[in-house]
Structures are given as C-alpha cells and as structure tokens.
C-alpha cells in the first residue's frame, strides 16, 4: 500500500513539474504579456495562453494574479504610473512574409475596439524579434511564484523592455508613452484597471481586433490588485449562432401561442 502511495505521489510531482515547465515556455501562436518600468532592472513576462484559447474567453476571464511578481519589478507599480505593459505573439520565429504577429494598444471598454493597432515596420522582422523574446523567456527567465511568469534581466537583448520599450527594431512606428503606459490607459478610463486591445497584424499591416486585456491597479468588480483578465470579442460566426438560437426561440414561442389559440377555439 505504501508503495502505491509513493508511486502516486511521484506521478503527481512529475505531472506538476511538467505543467509548470509547459506554463513557463512560449510557443508559436502563444500570447505573452510584458511589464517593465523606466527604472527597473528586470522585465516581467507572463504567458497569457494561445490565441485560440484566448478567443474562447468571450466573457471577462482571469488569466492570473501578478501583484507579488509585479512588486518585484516595481514595488509601487499600481500607484506610481510608471509601468509599461502590453502583449505580443508571433506565428513564426523566422522572417515570414505573409505571416502574422499580435500586438496591443492602450484601450478602454473591455471587449470593444477602443484603439487602432499600431503598424509594424516589418511583420517579418517582428517574427524574429518576438521569437527571440519567447526563447529568452524560456531559457534565461527566472520563474516567479505565480507559475506562469518569469523575470528577465533588461540587460538581455531580447528582454521585453529592450525590444518593446527601448528598441525600435521589433516594434516600429509607435509611441511607448501612449501604446504601453499604464497611466495613459487608467487615467483615460477613470477606472481601477489599465487596459490594452489585442490585434492580429498581417504583413500588409491589416489588423484584426481580438479582445482586451485588463490589469487591475486596485480591487473592485470582483478582482484584486494585480489581476490580469482577457475579454474576447465574439467571432461573426458566434453572433450568427446566437441570432439563430434567438430566432428558433421566437418561432417556438409563436407556434405554442398559435397552438394554444386553436385549442381555445376548438
């Protein structure tokens, strides 16, 4: 009996370790969220999930709670207005013309496009740079207690700060103070969260709005300081399905009323 318990315990530890490893690596089509300040020595990156998974969050869904991890980057991040944050992902780690990258702009209402995606100077170059960020996240990032984020030294050429804030080779034609600044979003909203809109950008710089991330700077609405959520915009097919169900419901109600009226006449 003891051997069985030990075996089960060992399997549980192995499964937990495997899950932790998977949660702290970034693959193609995964979206990561980066955080940094002008004075911090480290960036924080968190795995938000795959694009396909995020698309299912048509109601506001908690991604994770990062208050303690963010405090390690900036102890007063929630109140000092110095934090820069945003999300990114790539469909390829090499230069692919005709491929896709994902990026964010400061937002407002959850699940509603409130901004315009900023243009990449080169989506193909974005593939390689974001791919480098993903590799750095998994290879040299230091795991945090939340299980889905890692800190990366800003001295690393592919840290989130080096590429998204300080550099221009990955993300060109944008202004970090309006695209990524936590204060710009929170102040504009007058809310207890900062928000960024997630877009898919293709090589022609054609962008598609996918949804909104919200980072809570104070408790409220059922969320705590440091909670990160995502609200996806339903795809047109989802709207069509909802309309179809509503139509069927109306038809059934009318049929029942007609049947009841005929019964009364009879």
């Amino acid at each position: 009996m003891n051997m069985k318990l030990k075996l089960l315990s060992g399997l549980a530890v192995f499964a937990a370790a495997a899950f932790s490893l998977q949660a702290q690596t970034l693959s193609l089509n995964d979206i990561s969220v980066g955080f940094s300040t002008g004075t911090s020595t480290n960036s924080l990156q968190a795995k938000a999930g795959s694009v396909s998974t995020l698309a299912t969050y048509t109601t506001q869904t908690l991604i994770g709670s990062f208050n303690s991890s963010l405090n390690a980057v900036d102890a007063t991040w929630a109140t000092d207005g110095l934090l820069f944050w945003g999300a990114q992902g790539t469909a390829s780690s090499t230069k692919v013309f005709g491929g896709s990258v994902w990026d964010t702009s400061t937002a407002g209402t959850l699940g509603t496009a409130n901004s315009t995606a900023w243009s990449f100077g080169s989506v193909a170059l974005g593939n390689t740079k974001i791919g480098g960020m993903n590799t750095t996240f998994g290879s040299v990032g230091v795991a945090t207690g939340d299980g889905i984020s890692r800190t990366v030294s800003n001295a690393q050429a592919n840290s989130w700060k080096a590429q998204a804030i300080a550099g221009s080779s990955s993300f060109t034609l944008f202004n970090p103070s309006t695209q990524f600044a936590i204060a710009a979003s929170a102040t504009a909203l007058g809310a207890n969260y900062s928000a960024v809109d997630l877009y898919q950008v293709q090589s022609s710089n054609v962008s598609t709005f996918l949804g909104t991330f919200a980072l809570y700077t104070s408790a409220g609405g059922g969320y705590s300081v440091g909670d990160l959520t995502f609200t996806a915009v339903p795809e047109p097919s989802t709207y069509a399905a909802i309309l179809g169900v509503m139509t069927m419901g109306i038809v059934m109600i009318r049929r029942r009323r007609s049947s009841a009226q005929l019964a009364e006449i009879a």
Side-chain angles (χ1 to χ4, degrees), residues 94-107:
T94 58
K95 290 185 178 181
V96 176
F97 296 92
S100 295
V101 292
W102 291 270
D103 68 53
T104 50
S105 290
T106 50

Side-chain angles (χ1 to χ4, degrees), residues 12-74:
V13 171
F14 177 79
F19 174 78
S20 178
L21 179 64
Q22 183 182 20
Q24 293 182 351
T25 57
L26 292 168
S27 303
L28 298 181
N29 301 306
D30 277 345
I31 301 298
S32 70
V33 184
F35 311 87
S36 191
T37 68
T39 58
S40 58
T41 57
N42 294 317
S43 295
L44 182 72
Q45 267 187 275
K47 180 176 179 178
S50 66
V51 173
S52 58
T53 297
L54 292 175
T56 66
Y57 299 158
T58 52
T59 58
Q60 189 176 8
T61 302
L62 180 68
I63 301 296
S65 300
F66 302 104
N67 189 36
S68 60
S69 301
L70 284 167
N71 283 337
V73 174
D74 176 5

Side-chain angles (χ1 to χ4, degrees), residues 189-202:
L189 288 170
N192 63 324
Y193 59 81
S194 172
V196 292
D197 283 338
L198 178 66
Y199 291 88
Q200 178 181 10
V201 181
Q202 296 172 310

